Amino acid sequence: MKALKAFLDFLVISYIVFTVLLLTTVLNENTILNIQTDEQVLLLYKAIVAIGGVIMFARLLANHLYIADLKHEQHLAQLKINGLKADLYEKRQEFRSNSYKPQAEEIEAEVRLLKQA
């Protein structure tokens, strides 16, 4: 996804540079594309606008998918963190319950001795 995003960013930049050079007449459409009539020039500019729209829309979709992918990865990482926290909590509870058992057994033994006496 990251490679697609980088490719589309490069494509957008190269499109913008080409369009700016064409519009500032640094590049001449007559010599580059062998255009001879004004109708062909108008058609060329319409095509440039259409291609630009498609490229920008594709870039927008790629960015949206990239962000959605990042959010999904973040969600999975958060689920893993929550699972690890739950395991840690269970181990702490188990440790606490094991450390209190000997004390509870001693108290029960003392209670039995007091009852017997």
Side-chain angles (χ1 to χ4, degrees):
M1 186 60 65
K2 198 171 188 177
L4 177 64
K5 183 180 175 307
F7 174 73
L8 284 174
D9 288 342
F10 173 75
L11 192 63
V12 165
I13 290 171
S14 60
Y15 167 79
I16 290 172
V17 168
F18 175 75
T19 305
V20 167
L21 290 175
L22 195 62
L23 291 175
T24 58
T25 64
V26 172
L27 295 177
N28 190 355
E29 66 269 354
N30 295 336
T31 57
I32 293 175
L33 301 171
N34 197 17
I35 295 177
Q36 301 189 355
T37 65
D38 289 337
E39 291 176 10
Q40 290 176 335
V41 172
L42 183 62
L43 186 62
L44 170 69
Y45 287 126
K46 286 181 182 178
I48 287 175
V49 169
I51 291 170
V54 169
I55 291 173
M56 297 297 176
F57 183 70
R59 184 174 181 268
L60 179 70
L61 284 178
N63 282 341
H64 179 70
L65 291 175
Y66 181 70
I67 290 170
D69 186 43
L70 288 177
K71 285 182 180 179
H72 180 69
E73 288 177 8
Q74 182 184 16
H75 175 71
L76 291 178
Q78 190 63 40
L79 288 176
K80 186 173 181 179
I81 288 170
N82 288 344
L84 291 173
K85 284 181 180 179
D87 290 343
L88 179 63
Y89 178 77
E90 289 173 1
K91 286 181 182 179
R92 282 183 180 172
Q93 291 298 93
E94 182 180 328
F95 176 75
R96 287 178 183 161
S97 66
N98 286 340
S99 64
Y100 290 129
K101 279 184 182 177
Q103 292 176 357
E105 290 173 359
E106 290 176 10
I107 292 172
E108 287 177 13
E110 287 179 14
V111 169
R112 274 187 253 136
L113 286 175
L114 289 175
K115 285 183 181 178
Q116 290 175 356

